[in-house]
Amino acid sequence: MKQSNKLETWGNEMTMNLNNILYQNIQASPYFKQLYELKTYHEVIDEIYNHVESLEPFLKGTTASTAFCLLYKLWTLRLTVKQINGLIQHTDSPHIRALGFLYLRYVCKPVHLWDWLEEYLDDEEDVQVQGGSRPVIMYVSPMENIGKMCRQLLTDQKWLGTILPRIPVPIARDIEQKLKERSQPPPQPRRESPTYDEPKIPSAERSLRREDEEREHRHSRSRSVDKPRSHRTRDYEYERVVSVTEDIEVLVAIVRIVVVAMIMIEKENMMMIDMNVVEVK
């Protein structure tokens, strides 16, 4: 096998990093023993296509499921990078793809998990993960599909009740940060206002235009001076004249009253003087 086509694995070479109880039940499974007859990668793929209907690790009690027996069978074949790509990109069955992702989660070096699964985080293909009378299906939805399965494999410590291999804390934090960055909307490009280049005008033409504008300005000012007053202006001025005239008339009347009063007072004073003179005589 070429070095570039060999998957870098880690952990327990014998158990495939499976939970000990699950590993022992796979080894004891009559179905798994029948799989000894399958010798090639393509034969196992056909077996998955024909018999896998769900992805839980156990059936009734602690009986190892068909899916996980075939998952461990794939491990015994020590799949190449090319074969794993064939699994996760398979078009015949989502369960073939799902077992490929589970294979990576169990044996791939954690530092390479993101590179393998990132491309499929938004995959919307349906996949049934639990069987029985009430099957659980990851269906076409932003959070419930093959993409969601890949996210769960990157972030969760369990898969349907069985413990997954532990991802080192620094790598887990890095994966969490990358997932957070993916969930953020991309920054909107800043819109720049269009710029229009003004046509260049010859200097002689500019001078003529300037003269025309000044002439037009003078005409407009002269028109505004000679413009006849509107009827509203005339009415307003008339009302002002009438108001002033009325005020003058009122003042004249008051003066007349004051003058008459003063004359009467003067007459009374004269009469009093005359009466005093008569009494003295």
Side-chain angles (χ1 to χ4, degrees):
M1 183 188 303
K2 293 182 179 180
Q3 191 69 21
S4 60
N5 198 31
K6 181 181 179 181
L7 179 69
E8 291 189 60
T9 60
W10 75 306
N12 193 312
E13 288 283 331
M14 181 178 294
T15 66
M16 191 190 168
N17 301 319
L18 292 166
N19 174 272
N20 189 51
I21 295 176
L22 179 57
Y23 170 73
Q24 290 178 2
N25 280 274
I26 290 173
Q27 294 295 317
S29 169
Y31 174 71
F32 177 71
K33 293 176 181 178
Q34 294 176 10
L35 298 178
Y36 290 163
E37 299 176 1
L38 305 181
K39 304 298 183 183
T40 67
Y41 163 80
H42 293 289
E43 288 175 335
V44 178
I45 295 294
D46 290 341
E47 186 72 10
I48 296 170
Y49 179 81
N50 291 322
H51 297 287
V52 174
E53 297 179 353
S54 60
L55 298 171
E56 62 266 80
F58 296 103
L59 297 178
K60 294 180 180 179
T62 57
T63 302
S65 67
T66 302
F68 271 72
C69 286
L70 285 162
L71 178 63
Y72 189 78
K73 179 63 180 181
L74 289 171
W75 173 242
T76 63
L77 300 177
R78 298 298 192 272
L79 300 183
T80 65
V81 169
K82 181 178 180 180
Q83 289 171 333
I84 294 170
N85 276 314
L87 283 175
I88 62 180
Q89 296 173 8
H90 213 284
T91 58
D92 291 346
S93 167
H95 291 113
I96 296 174
R97 301 184 65 202
L99 286 180
F101 293 123
L102 283 168
Y103 185 95
L104 287 168
R105 179 62 176 85
Y106 272 101
V107 302
C108 178
K109 279 191 173 181
V111 72
H112 298 315
L113 277 175
W114 177 262
D115 294 334
W116 273 102
L117 272 61
E118 179 188 12
E119 181 181 350
Y120 306 96
L121 293 176
D122 298 318
D123 195 302
E124 296 184 346
E125 184 173 10
D126 306 1
V127 58
Q128 181 172 318
V129 297
Q130 289 186 1
S133 58
R134 300 179 65 182
V136 177
I137 300 177
M138 294 183 181
Y139 50 89
V140 177
S141 167
M143 293 301 297
E144 298 178 341
N145 42 46
I146 283 284
K148 181 184 177 182
M149 177 185 178
C150 291
R151 290 172 184 267
Q152 289 178 339
L153 293 177
L154 286 171
T155 58
D156 293 357
Q157 299 302 314
K158 289 186 177 182
W159 172 258
L160 299 179
T162 189
I163 298 175
L164 295 169
R166 179 177 173 273
I167 297 176
V169 173
I171 298 175
R173 288 176 179 171
D174 183 59
I175 290 173
E176 183 179 356
Q177 179 62 31
K178 289 176 178 177
L179 286 172
K180 189 179 298 184
E181 291 173 357
R182 281 179 61 91
S183 64
Q184 295 176 351
Q188 296 294 330
R190 188 176 65 180
R191 289 188 175 182
E192 296 183 359
S193 57
T195 57
Y196 302 97
D197 295 332
E198 295 184 357
K200 294 183 178 180
I201 303 174
S203 57
E205 186 176 349
R206 285 200 302 271
S207 301
L208 291 174
R209 287 190 179 184
R210 192 178 301 110
E211 292 177 2
D212 292 340
E213 291 173 357
E214 291 176 354
R215 189 181 302 108
E216 180 65 25
H217 178 66
R218 288 195 298 271
H219 287 327
S220 62
R221 290 187 60 184
S222 62
R223 284 196 299 269
S224 64
V225 171
D226 299 336
K227 187 176 181 180
R229 292 174 293 175
S230 65
H231 68 279
R232 289 187 180 181
T233 304
R234 293 196 300 271
D235 291 345
Y236 174 71
E237 292 177 353
Y238 173 76
E239 289 174 0
R240 288 184 60 188
V241 171
V242 171
S243 176
V244 171
T245 303
E246 290 176 351
D247 292 342
I248 293 173
E249 290 177 353
V250 170
L251 288 173
V252 169
I254 292 172
V255 170
R256 286 177 180 175
I257 292 171
V258 171
V259 170
V260 170
M262 291 177 66
I263 292 171
M264 292 180 66
I265 292 170
E266 183 68 24
K267 285 182 179 182
E268 289 180 359
N269 290 335
M270 293 296 294
M271 290 175 65
M272 291 293 294
I273 293 171
D274 292 342
M275 290 176 63
N276 291 332
V277 171
V278 172
E279 287 179 358
V280 170
K281 288 179 177 182

mmCIF file of all heavy atoms in Angstrom, residues 202-234:
data_model
loop_
_atom_site.group_PDB
_atom_site.id
_atom_site.type_symbol
_atom_site.label_atom_id
_atom_site.label_comp_id
_atom_site.label_asym_id
_atom_site.label_seq_id
_atom_site.Cartn_x
_atom_site.Cartn_y
_atom_site.Cartn_z
ATOM 1 N N PRO A 202 -13.938 71.933 -22.837
ATOM 2 C CA PRO A 202 -12.862 72.864 -23.232
ATOM 3 C C PRO A 202 -13.015 74.187 -22.499
ATOM 4 O O PRO A 202 -14.112 74.614 -22.141
ATOM 5 C CB PRO A 202 -13.057 73.006 -24.736
ATOM 6 C CG PRO A 202 -13.835 71.804 -25.138
ATOM 7 C CD PRO A 202 -14.687 71.422 -23.976
ATOM 8 N N SER A 203 -11.855 74.852 -22.283
ATOM 9 C CA SER A 203 -11.858 76.114 -21.516
ATOM 10 C C SER A 203 -12.696 77.180 -22.202
ATOM 11 O O SER A 203 -13.399 77.963 -21.540
ATOM 12 C CB SER A 203 -10.421 76.611 -21.334
ATOM 13 O OG SER A 203 -9.796 76.771 -22.606
ATOM 14 N N ALA A 204 -12.648 77.284 -23.528
ATOM 15 C CA ALA A 204 -13.437 78.300 -24.239
ATOM 16 C C ALA A 204 -14.930 78.063 -24.015
ATOM 17 O O ALA A 204 -15.704 79.001 -23.763
ATOM 18 C CB ALA A 204 -13.109 78.254 -25.735
ATOM 19 N N GLU A 205 -15.344 76.817 -24.081
ATOM 20 C CA GLU A 205 -16.756 76.498 -23.870
ATOM 21 C C GLU A 205 -17.165 76.793 -22.432
ATOM 22 O O GLU A 205 -18.261 77.277 -22.163
ATOM 23 C CB GLU A 205 -17.009 75.030 -24.208
ATOM 24 C CG GLU A 205 -18.488 74.664 -24.149
ATOM 25 C CD GLU A 205 -18.717 73.225 -24.583
ATOM 26 O OE1 GLU A 205 -17.743 72.627 -25.118
ATOM 27 O OE2 GLU A 205 -19.835 72.730 -24.395
ATOM 28 N N ARG A 206 -16.256 76.537 -21.477
ATOM 29 C CA ARG A 206 -16.553 76.837 -20.083
ATOM 30 C C ARG A 206 -16.772 78.336 -19.886
ATOM 31 O O ARG A 206 -17.659 78.768 -19.147
ATOM 32 C CB ARG A 206 -15.407 76.361 -19.182
ATOM 33 C CG ARG A 206 -15.394 74.845 -18.984
ATOM 34 C CD ARG A 206 -14.591 74.499 -17.737
ATOM 35 N NE ARG A 206 -13.230 74.999 -17.799
ATOM 36 C CZ ARG A 206 -12.198 74.337 -18.312
ATOM 37 N NH1 ARG A 206 -12.392 73.147 -18.854
ATOM 38 N NH2 ARG A 206 -10.979 74.856 -18.315
ATOM 39 N N SER A 207 -15.943 79.174 -20.552
ATOM 40 C CA SER A 207 -16.089 80.618 -20.438
ATOM 41 C C SER A 207 -17.440 81.073 -20.969
ATOM 42 O O SER A 207 -18.123 81.920 -20.366
ATOM 43 C CB SER A 207 -14.965 81.329 -21.196
ATOM 44 O OG SER A 207 -13.697 80.953 -20.676
ATOM 45 N N LEU A 208 -17.842 80.535 -22.133
ATOM 46 C CA LEU A 208 -19.129 80.896 -22.701
ATOM 47 C C LEU A 208 -20.272 80.502 -21.774
ATOM 48 O O LEU A 208 -21.237 81.249 -21.584
ATOM 49 C CB LEU A 208 -19.298 80.234 -24.074
ATOM 50 C CG LEU A 208 -18.384 80.757 -25.191
ATOM 51 C CD1 LEU A 208 -18.557 79.917 -26.458
ATOM 52 C CD2 LEU A 208 -18.709 82.226 -25.493
ATOM 53 N N ARG A 209 -20.158 79.319 -21.198
ATOM 54 C CA ARG A 209 -21.212 78.863 -20.287
ATOM 55 C C ARG A 209 -21.294 79.765 -19.060
ATOM 56 O O ARG A 209 -22.380 80.087 -18.579
ATOM 57 C CB ARG A 209 -20.940 77.412 -19.848
ATOM 58 C CG ARG A 209 -21.200 76.396 -20.931
ATOM 59 C CD ARG A 209 -21.147 74.996 -20.357
ATOM 60 N NE ARG A 209 -21.415 73.991 -21.367
ATOM 61 C CZ ARG A 209 -21.514 72.690 -21.109
ATOM 62 N NH1 ARG A 209 -21.345 72.245 -19.875
ATOM 63 N NH2 ARG A 209 -21.765 71.836 -22.067
ATOM 64 N N ARG A 210 -20.124 80.184 -18.545
ATOM 65 C CA ARG A 210 -20.099 81.053 -17.368
ATOM 66 C C ARG A 210 -20.766 82.392 -17.683
ATOM 67 O O ARG A 210 -21.536 82.936 -16.887
ATOM 68 C CB ARG A 210 -18.661 81.260 -16.901
ATOM 69 C CG ARG A 210 -18.565 81.904 -15.510
ATOM 70 C CD ARG A 210 -17.126 82.052 -15.058
ATOM 71 N NE ARG A 210 -16.438 80.770 -15.000
ATOM 72 C CZ ARG A 210 -15.471 80.396 -15.829
ATOM 73 N NH1 ARG A 210 -15.084 81.240 -16.785
ATOM 74 N NH2 ARG A 210 -14.883 79.236 -15.715
ATOM 75 N N GLU A 211 -20.483 82.946 -18.879
ATOM 76 C CA GLU A 211 -21.110 84.202 -19.273
ATOM 77 C C GLU A 211 -22.622 84.056 -19.396
ATOM 78 O O GLU A 211 -23.385 84.929 -18.964
ATOM 79 C CB GLU A 211 -20.512 84.685 -20.592
ATOM 80 C CG GLU A 211 -19.058 85.128 -20.485
ATOM 81 C CD GLU A 211 -18.483 85.521 -21.833
ATOM 82 O OE1 GLU A 211 -19.260 85.477 -22.826
ATOM 83 O OE2 GLU A 211 -17.288 85.863 -21.898
ATOM 84 N N ASP A 212 -23.054 82.939 -19.973
ATOM 85 C CA ASP A 212 -24.499 82.694 -20.101
ATOM 86 C C ASP A 212 -25.152 82.615 -18.734
ATOM 87 O O ASP A 212 -26.260 83.141 -18.513
ATOM 88 C CB ASP A 212 -24.757 81.415 -20.888
ATOM 89 C CG ASP A 212 -24.348 81.553 -22.349
ATOM 90 O OD1 ASP A 212 -24.246 82.714 -22.814
ATOM 91 O OD2 ASP A 212 -24.147 80.510 -23.016
ATOM 92 N N GLU A 213 -24.487 81.939 -17.785
ATOM 93 C CA GLU A 213 -25.059 81.812 -16.445
ATOM 94 C C GLU A 213 -25.156 83.161 -15.748
ATOM 95 O O GLU A 213 -26.155 83.468 -15.086
ATOM 96 C CB GLU A 213 -24.203 80.843 -15.611
ATOM 97 C CG GLU A 213 -24.302 79.401 -16.081
ATOM 98 C CD GLU A 213 -23.314 78.498 -15.354
ATOM 99 O OE1 GLU A 213 -22.522 79.021 -14.528
ATOM 100 O OE2 GLU A 213 -23.326 77.272 -15.606
ATOM 101 N N GLU A 214 -24.095 84.007 -15.899
ATOM 102 C CA GLU A 214 -24.129 85.330 -15.271
ATOM 103 C C GLU A 214 -25.223 86.192 -15.886
ATOM 104 O O GLU A 214 -25.936 86.927 -15.190
ATOM 105 C CB GLU A 214 -22.766 86.007 -15.437
ATOM 106 C CG GLU A 214 -21.652 85.332 -14.623
ATOM 107 C CD GLU A 214 -20.298 85.975 -14.891
ATOM 108 O OE1 GLU A 214 -20.236 86.853 -15.778
ATOM 109 O OE2 GLU A 214 -19.317 85.569 -14.228
ATOM 110 N N ARG A 215 -25.383 86.127 -17.222
ATOM 111 C CA ARG A 215 -26.413 86.904 -17.899
ATOM 112 C C ARG A 215 -27.807 86.476 -17.430
ATOM 113 O O ARG A 215 -28.670 87.306 -17.158
ATOM 114 C CB ARG A 215 -26.277 86.727 -19.420
ATOM 115 C CG ARG A 215 -27.168 87.684 -20.222
ATOM 116 C CD ARG A 215 -27.017 87.467 -21.714
ATOM 117 N NE ARG A 215 -25.632 87.629 -22.147
ATOM 118 C CZ ARG A 215 -24.833 86.635 -22.522
ATOM 119 N NH1 ARG A 215 -25.312 85.391 -22.554
ATOM 120 N NH2 ARG A 215 -23.583 86.853 -22.886
ATOM 121 N N GLU A 216 -27.983 85.173 -17.331
ATOM 122 C CA GLU A 216 -29.266 84.647 -16.859
ATOM 123 C C GLU A 216 -29.544 85.085 -15.425
ATOM 124 O O GLU A 216 -30.670 85.422 -15.058
ATOM 125 C CB GLU A 216 -29.265 83.113 -16.949
ATOM 126 C CG GLU A 216 -30.563 82.456 -16.476
ATOM 127 C CD GLU A 216 -31.726 82.826 -17.358
ATOM 128 O OE1 GLU A 216 -31.507 83.173 -18.546
ATOM 129 O OE2 GLU A 216 -32.870 82.775 -16.857
ATOM 130 N N HIS A 217 -28.482 85.144 -14.603
ATOM 131 C CA HIS A 217 -28.640 85.569 -13.215
ATOM 132 C C HIS A 217 -29.083 87.038 -13.129
ATOM 133 O O HIS A 217 -29.964 87.399 -12.350
ATOM 134 C CB HIS A 217 -27.320 85.360 -12.470
ATOM 135 C CG HIS A 217 -27.360 85.800 -11.038
ATOM 136 N ND1 HIS A 217 -28.162 85.171 -10.094
ATOM 137 C CD2 HIS A 217 -26.699 86.799 -10.397
ATOM 138 C CE1 HIS A 217 -27.989 85.769 -8.924
ATOM 139 N NE2 HIS A 217 -27.109 86.759 -9.087
ATOM 140 N N ARG A 218 -28.466 87.907 -13.989
ATOM 141 C CA ARG A 218 -28.835 89.316 -13.991
ATOM 142 C C ARG A 218 -30.282 89.500 -14.433
ATOM 143 O O ARG A 218 -31.027 90.295 -13.875
ATOM 144 C CB ARG A 218 -27.882 90.098 -14.907
ATOM 145 C CG ARG A 218 -26.475 90.258 -14.325
ATOM 146 C CD ARG A 218 -25.714 91.337 -15.085
ATOM 147 N NE ARG A 218 -25.533 90.987 -16.485
ATOM 148 C CZ ARG A 218 -24.497 90.296 -16.958
ATOM 149 N NH1 ARG A 218 -23.545 89.883 -16.122
ATOM 150 N NH2 ARG A 218 -24.402 90.035 -18.247
ATOM 151 N N HIS A 219 -30.674 88.763 -15.469
ATOM 152 C CA HIS A 219 -32.060 88.851 -15.947
ATOM 153 C C HIS A 219 -33.040 88.429 -14.872
ATOM 154 O O HIS A 219 -34.094 89.041 -14.693
ATOM 155 C CB HIS A 219 -32.248 87.988 -17.197
ATOM 156 C CG HIS A 219 -31.598 88.567 -18.422
ATOM 157 N ND1 HIS A 219 -31.508 89.920 -18.637
ATOM 158 C CD2 HIS A 219 -31.011 87.964 -19.506
ATOM 159 C CE1 HIS A 219 -30.884 90.156 -19.783
ATOM 160 N NE2 HIS A 219 -30.570 88.968 -20.340
ATOM 161 N N SER A 220 -32.710 87.358 -14.162
ATOM 162 C CA SER A 220 -33.624 86.876 -13.127
ATOM 163 C C SER A 220 -33.775 87.899 -12.016
ATOM 164 O O SER A 220 -34.870 88.101 -11.477
ATOM 165 C CB SER A 220 -33.124 85.549 -12.555
ATOM 166 O OG SER A 220 -31.856 85.715 -11.941
ATOM 167 N N ARG A 221 -32.660 88.588 -11.656
ATOM 168 C CA ARG A 221 -32.742 89.608 -10.617
ATOM 169 C C ARG A 221 -33.581 90.794 -11.072
ATOM 170 O O ARG A 221 -34.382 91.346 -10.321
ATOM 171 C CB ARG A 221 -31.337 90.080 -10.245
ATOM 172 C CG ARG A 221 -30.534 89.036 -9.493
ATOM 173 C CD ARG A 221 -29.227 89.611 -9.016
ATOM 174 N NE ARG A 221 -29.456 90.748 -8.113
ATOM 175 C CZ ARG A 221 -28.459 91.485 -7.621
ATOM 176 N NH1 ARG A 221 -27.208 91.253 -7.981
ATOM 177 N NH2 ARG A 221 -28.737 92.479 -6.799
ATOM 178 N N SER A 222 -33.383 91.220 -12.340
ATOM 179 C CA SER A 222 -34.157 92.353 -12.841
ATOM 180 C C SER A 222 -35.637 92.004 -12.911
ATOM 181 O O SER A 222 -36.505 92.833 -12.608
ATOM 182 C CB SER A 222 -33.648 92.769 -14.225
ATOM 183 O OG SER A 222 -33.814 91.718 -15.153
ATOM 184 N N ARG A 223 -35.963 90.784 -13.264
ATOM 185 C CA ARG A 223 -37.356 90.360 -13.319
ATOM 186 C C ARG A 223 -37.982 90.379 -11.935
ATOM 187 O O ARG A 223 -39.144 90.749 -11.760
ATOM 188 C CB ARG A 223 -37.466 88.964 -13.943
ATOM 189 C CG ARG A 223 -37.293 88.949 -15.455
ATOM 190 C CD ARG A 223 -37.798 87.637 -16.047
ATOM 191 N NE ARG A 223 -37.071 86.493 -15.526
ATOM 192 C CZ ARG A 223 -35.984 85.989 -16.086
ATOM 193 N NH1 ARG A 223 -35.473 86.563 -17.181
ATOM 194 N NH2 ARG A 223 -35.377 84.945 -15.559
ATOM 195 N N SER A 224 -37.157 89.957 -10.942
ATOM 196 C CA SER A 224 -37.699 89.940 -9.585
ATOM 197 C C SER A 224 -37.968 91.338 -9.067
ATOM 198 O O SER A 224 -38.893 91.566 -8.287
ATOM 199 C CB SER A 224 -36.711 89.216 -8.643
ATOM 200 O OG SER A 224 -35.487 89.934 -8.553
ATOM 201 N N VAL A 225 -37.164 92.377 -9.495
ATOM 202 C CA VAL A 225 -37.380 93.762 -9.059
ATOM 203 C C VAL A 225 -38.619 94.349 -9.711
ATOM 204 O O VAL A 225 -39.426 95.035 -9.086
ATOM 205 C CB VAL A 225 -36.131 94.617 -9.377
ATOM 206 C CG1 VAL A 225 -36.417 96.080 -9.129
ATOM 207 C CG2 VAL A 225 -34.951 94.132 -8.548
ATOM 208 N N ASP A 226 -38.789 94.132 -11.031
ATOM 209 C CA ASP A 226 -39.891 94.720 -11.779
ATOM 210 C C ASP A 226 -41.188 93.951 -11.636
ATOM 211 O O ASP A 226 -42.217 94.359 -12.167
ATOM 212 C CB ASP A 226 -39.528 94.788 -13.271
ATOM 213 C CG ASP A 226 -38.288 95.662 -13.476
ATOM 214 O OD1 ASP A 226 -38.033 96.518 -12.600
ATOM 215 O OD2 ASP A 226 -37.585 95.452 -14.480
ATOM 216 N N LYS A 227 -41.166 92.900 -10.952
ATOM 217 C CA LYS A 227 -42.341 92.044 -10.872
ATOM 218 C C LYS A 227 -43.467 92.762 -10.137
ATOM 219 O O LYS A 227 -43.248 93.306 -9.055
ATOM 220 C CB LYS A 227 -41.995 90.748 -10.144
ATOM 221 C CG LYS A 227 -43.120 89.741 -10.158
ATOM 222 C CD LYS A 227 -42.653 88.461 -9.494
ATOM 223 C CE LYS A 227 -43.757 87.426 -9.513
ATOM 224 N NZ LYS A 227 -43.323 86.179 -8.865
ATOM 225 N N PRO A 228 -44.661 92.881 -10.708
ATOM 226 C CA PRO A 228 -45.779 93.576 -10.038
ATOM 227 C C PRO A 228 -46.170 92.863 -8.762
ATOM 228 O O PRO A 228 -46.043 91.656 -8.638
ATOM 229 C CB PRO A 228 -46.904 93.508 -11.081
ATOM 230 C CG PRO A 228 -46.561 92.345 -11.939
ATOM 231 C CD PRO A 228 -45.067 92.293 -12.003
ATOM 232 N N ARG A 229 -46.646 93.706 -7.837
ATOM 233 C CA ARG A 229 -47.037 93.144 -6.556
ATOM 234 C C ARG A 229 -48.321 92.343 -6.713
ATOM 235 O O ARG A 229 -49.215 92.717 -7.473
ATOM 236 C CB ARG A 229 -47.235 94.259 -5.534
ATOM 237 C CG ARG A 229 -45.952 94.957 -5.146
ATOM 238 C CD ARG A 229 -46.227 96.133 -4.259
ATOM 239 N NE ARG A 229 -46.952 97.176 -5.018
ATOM 240 C CZ ARG A 229 -47.411 98.273 -4.452
ATOM 241 N NH1 ARG A 229 -47.245 98.484 -3.156
ATOM 242 N NH2 ARG A 229 -48.056 99.172 -5.169
ATOM 243 N N SER A 230 -48.445 91.335 -5.955
ATOM 244 C CA SER A 230 -49.632 90.487 -6.024
ATOM 245 C C SER A 230 -50.788 91.159 -5.302
ATOM 246 O O SER A 230 -50.605 92.108 -4.543
ATOM 247 C CB SER A 230 -49.332 89.132 -5.381
ATOM 248 O OG SER A 230 -49.087 89.288 -4.012
ATOM 249 N N HIS A 231 -52.009 90.638 -5.533
ATOM 250 C CA HIS A 231 -53.188 91.209 -4.885
ATOM 251 C C HIS A 231 -53.121 91.036 -3.379
ATOM 252 O O HIS A 231 -53.643 91.844 -2.624
ATOM 253 C CB HIS A 231 -54.451 90.562 -5.454
ATOM 254 C CG HIS A 231 -54.582 89.126 -5.068
ATOM 255 N ND1 HIS A 231 -53.900 88.136 -5.740
ATOM 256 C CD2 HIS A 231 -55.284 88.527 -4.074
ATOM 257 C CE1 HIS A 231 -54.202 86.973 -5.192
ATOM 258 N NE2 HIS A 231 -55.034 87.179 -4.187
ATOM 259 N N ARG A 232 -52.421 90.007 -2.912
ATOM 260 C CA ARG A 232 -52.299 89.801 -1.476
ATOM 261 C C ARG A 232 -51.474 90.918 -0.847
ATOM 262 O O ARG A 232 -51.790 91.442 0.228
ATOM 263 C CB ARG A 232 -51.649 88.450 -1.186
ATOM 264 C CG ARG A 232 -52.560 87.267 -1.491
ATOM 265 C CD ARG A 232 -51.915 85.986 -1.026
ATOM 266 N NE ARG A 232 -52.787 84.862 -1.313
ATOM 267 C CZ ARG A 232 -52.466 83.605 -0.977
ATOM 268 N NH1 ARG A 232 -51.313 83.362 -0.368
ATOM 269 N NH2 ARG A 232 -53.303 82.624 -1.250
ATOM 270 N N THR A 233 -50.388 91.309 -1.573
ATOM 271 C CA THR A 233 -49.543 92.387 -1.054
ATOM 272 C C THR A 233 -50.328 93.687 -1.002
ATOM 273 O O THR A 233 -50.272 94.436 -0.020
ATOM 274 C CB THR A 233 -48.298 92.542 -1.938
ATOM 275 O OG1 THR A 233 -47.613 91.296 -1.996
ATOM 276 C CG2 THR A 233 -47.367 93.603 -1.365
ATOM 277 N N ARG A 234 -51.073 93.985 -2.073
ATOM 278 C CA ARG A 234 -51.864 95.211 -2.115
ATOM 279 C C ARG A 234 -52.915 95.227 -1.023
ATOM 280 O O ARG A 234 -53.134 96.233 -0.362
ATOM 281 C CB ARG A 234 -52.519 95.345 -3.503
ATOM 282 C CG ARG A 234 -51.520 95.589 -4.632
ATOM 283 C CD ARG A 234 -52.237 96.095 -5.875
ATOM 284 N NE ARG A 234 -53.218 95.131 -6.355
ATOM 285 C CZ ARG A 234 -52.910 94.171 -7.215
ATOM 286 N NH1 ARG A 234 -51.680 94.031 -7.681
ATOM 287 N NH2 ARG A 234 -53.846 93.341 -7.644
#
